[in-house]
């Protein structure tokens, strides 16, 4: 089976955008691929984290992975920091990465903009991200559009290693769904729905109550027109809501348009809220069961053990090819 690797940071609350753009696809991929899904806590500390919050969010994100349908019997679910080979290969790949490559990373530019001091970890973390992927020789990486640049760097580093030390690494390909890969903010559809947005009304958190979900969708920004029509040039906000409806209901975009033909935004948004609640309520119930039982700790332990076995072989091969003493 081909290998898949992906991860989500435990910073902020996971959103409906994370579910549609990532978790939902993880669940689908696990039936056909050998999957490693991790909570990337080493990436989270590239910015300051409160220890108690980091611990709570790490466990919460891991539990949401499983609650969303990732099966620990099919996929490895684990903490990035529990598999030390990520950091070890990360350092090795940092030595193969040029300053110029890191300076060109748009995410670094965006996150560093306007700040007097920026940690070195924020600058070099694309090399660690490359290690996350290459330590399993992954074939496929589910990434959003904003991470494609990092995957290109991963491919460059894999090719550079192969050229210098011998063919070894697979050049990974991105997995980007055509619809629903990028869910936008409820208050500004020109921006991605983000758990780091300071306005909680801009996103639906996976653990929001039904009433919170209904309130947020009722207040979601729409254009001045009346038609429930998918048009990403002229009706960006409504198109985003239609995408959410489609992804949560299983209806196509055209079927959603047809269902609300001749109706205004009010009935559409009211129904959309119930569709989203219908998807999230069972997930929330499963999440509470996982947290209350404490089973997530066993899942993470077993996932790390399996991932460790696979990663250790790759790390040893890399070190041998580069001339390290064994």
């Amino acid at each position: 089976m081909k290998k898949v690797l992906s991860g989500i940071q435990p910073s902020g609350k996971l959103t409906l955008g994370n579910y549609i753009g990532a978790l939902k696809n993880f669940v689908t991929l696990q039936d056909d691929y050998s999957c490693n899904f991790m909570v990337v806590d080493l990436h989270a500390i590239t910015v300051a984290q409160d220890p108690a919050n980091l611990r709570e969010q790490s466990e919460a994100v891991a539990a949401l992975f499983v609650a969303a349908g990732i099966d620990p019997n099919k996929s490895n679910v684990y903490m990035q920091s529990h598999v030390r080979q990520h950091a070890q290969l990360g350092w090795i790949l940092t030595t193969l990465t040029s300053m110029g490559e890191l300076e060109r990373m748009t995410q670094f530019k965006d996150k560093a903009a306007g700040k007097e001091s920026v940690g070195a970890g924020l600058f070099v973390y694309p090399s660690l991200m490359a290690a996350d992927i290459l330590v399993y020789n992954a074939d496929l990486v589910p990434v959003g559009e904003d991470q494609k640049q990092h995957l290109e760097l991963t491919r460059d580093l894999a090719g550079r290693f192969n050229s210098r030390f011998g063919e070894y690494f697979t050049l990974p390909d991105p997995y980007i769904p055509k619809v629903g890969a990028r869910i936008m903010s409820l208050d500004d559809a020109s921006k991605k729905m983000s758990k780091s947005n300071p306005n909680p009304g801009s996103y639906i958190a996976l653990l929001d109550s039904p009433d919170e979900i209904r309130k947020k969708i009722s207040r979601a920004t729409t254009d001045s027109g009346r038609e429930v029509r998918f048009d990403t040039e002229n009706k960006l906000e409504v198109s985003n809501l239609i995408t959410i409806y489609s992804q949560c209901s299983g209806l196509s975009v055209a079927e959603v348009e047809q269902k609300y033909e001749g109706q205004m935004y009010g009935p559409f948004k009211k129904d959309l809220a119930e569709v989203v609640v219908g998807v999230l309520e069972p997930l929330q119930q499963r999440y509470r069961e996982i947290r209350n039982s404490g089973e997530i700790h066993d899942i993470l332990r077993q996932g790390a053990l399996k991932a460790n076995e696979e990663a250790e072989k790759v790390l040893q091969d890399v070190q041998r090819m580069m001339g390290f003493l064994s």
Side-chain angles (χ1 to χ4, degrees), residues 27-41:
V27 174
T28 302
L29 288 167
Q30 68 183 346
D31 290 328
D32 299 310
Y33 297 90
S34 173
C35 295
N36 285 298
F37 298 127
M38 59 182 178
V39 181
V40 288
D41 50 350

Side-chain angles (χ1 to χ4, degrees), residues 125-173:
Y125 94 89
S127 299
L128 176 59
M129 183 176 171
D132 296 334
I133 298 164
L134 297 178
V135 79
Y136 305 106
N137 245 333
D139 300 282
L140 201 60
V141 184
V143 291
E145 289 286 345
D146 55 340
Q147 293 288 344
K148 283 183 71 176
Q149 191 182 28
H150 292 159
L151 186 60
E152 285 303 317
L153 176 64
T154 302
R155 290 172 58 89
D156 290 342
L157 292 175
R160 190 169 303 156
F161 179 92
N162 293 347
S163 177
R164 292 186 188 180
F165 303 108
E167 289 294 323
Y168 183 74
F169 283 124
T170 300
L171 270 60
D173 291 315

Side-chain angles (χ1 to χ4, degrees), residues 58-273:
S58 295
E59 186 172 336
V61 172
L64 283 168
F65 276 15
V66 181
I70 296 174
D71 184 349
N73 295 312
K74 295 180 180 179
S75 305
N76 291 335
V77 177
Y78 60 95
M79 301 301 303
Q80 181 189 25
S81 62
H82 291 179
V83 183
R84 58 176 174 77
Q85 293 86 352
H86 285 266
Q88 288 178 269
L89 184 59
W91 171 249
I92 288 172
L93 293 183
T94 300
T95 69
L96 297 179
T97 311
S98 73
M99 292 281 287
E101 286 173 315
L102 295 173
E103 288 169 345
R104 286 193 293 273
M105 294 289 130
T106 55
Q107 277 219 331
F108 172 74
K109 293 177 184 177
D110 292 344
K111 291 180 179 180
K115 295 182 180 178
E116 292 182 11
S117 177
V118 179
L122 191 62
F123 184 65
V124 302
Y125 94 89
S127 299
L128 176 59
M129 183 176 171
D132 296 334
I133 298 164
L134 297 178
V135 79
Y136 305 106
N137 245 333
D139 300 282
L140 201 60
V141 184
V143 291
E145 289 286 345
D146 55 340
Q147 293 288 344
K148 283 183 71 176
Q149 191 182 28
H150 292 159
L151 186 60
E152 285 303 317
L153 176 64
T154 302
R155 290 172 58 89
D156 290 342
L157 292 175
R160 190 169 303 156
F161 179 92
N162 293 347
S163 177
R164 292 186 188 180
F165 303 108
E167 289 294 323
Y168 183 74
F169 283 124
T170 300
L171 270 60
D173 291 315
Y175 172 80
I176 303 174
K178 292 179 181 176
V179 179
R182 193 172 171 86
I183 299 300
M184 312 309 285
S185 173
L186 296 180
D187 64 343
D188 181 357
S190 67
K191 298 177 181 177
K192 183 179 177 181
M193 184 180 285
S194 171
K195 59 186 187 298
S196 61
N197 193 315
N199 175 18
S202 71
Y203 60 82
I204 294 170
L206 293 186
L207 298 178
D208 277 348
S209 70
D211 285 345
E212 286 175 311
I213 293 168
R214 294 182 183 108
K215 186 180 294 184
K216 288 181 179 181
I217 290 178
S218 71
R219 295 176 177 175
T221 302
T222 52
D223 61 81
S224 58
R226 295 183 176 185
E227 289 181 283
V228 179
R229 177 167 52 85
F230 192 84
D231 180 350
T232 54
E233 288 189 14
N234 302 306
K235 299 173 74 68
L236 197 58
E237 282 79 12
V238 172
S239 297
N240 183 47
L241 296 180
I242 291 172
T243 298
I244 293 172
Y245 196 120
S246 172
Q247 289 291 308
C248 290
S249 67
L251 297 176
S252 69
V253 166
E255 286 171 330
V256 175
E257 287 181 305
Q258 185 178 12
K259 183 174 182 179
Y260 294 96
E261 186 176 359
Q263 298 189 49
M264 293 188 290
Y265 297 147
F268 166 68
K269 290 170 80 172
K270 186 176 180 180
D271 289 351
L272 171 60

Side-chain angles (χ1 to χ4, degrees), residues 78 83-86 89 134-136 168 305-317:
Y78 60 95
V83 183
R84 58 176 174 77
Q85 293 86 352
H86 285 266
L89 184 59
L134 297 178
V135 79
Y136 305 106
Y168 183 74
L305 283 173
K306 294 175 185 175
N308 194 300
E309 290 179 14
E310 196 173 349
E312 181 60 19
K313 180 186 181 304
V314 171
L315 180 64
Q316 288 187 5
D317 286 345

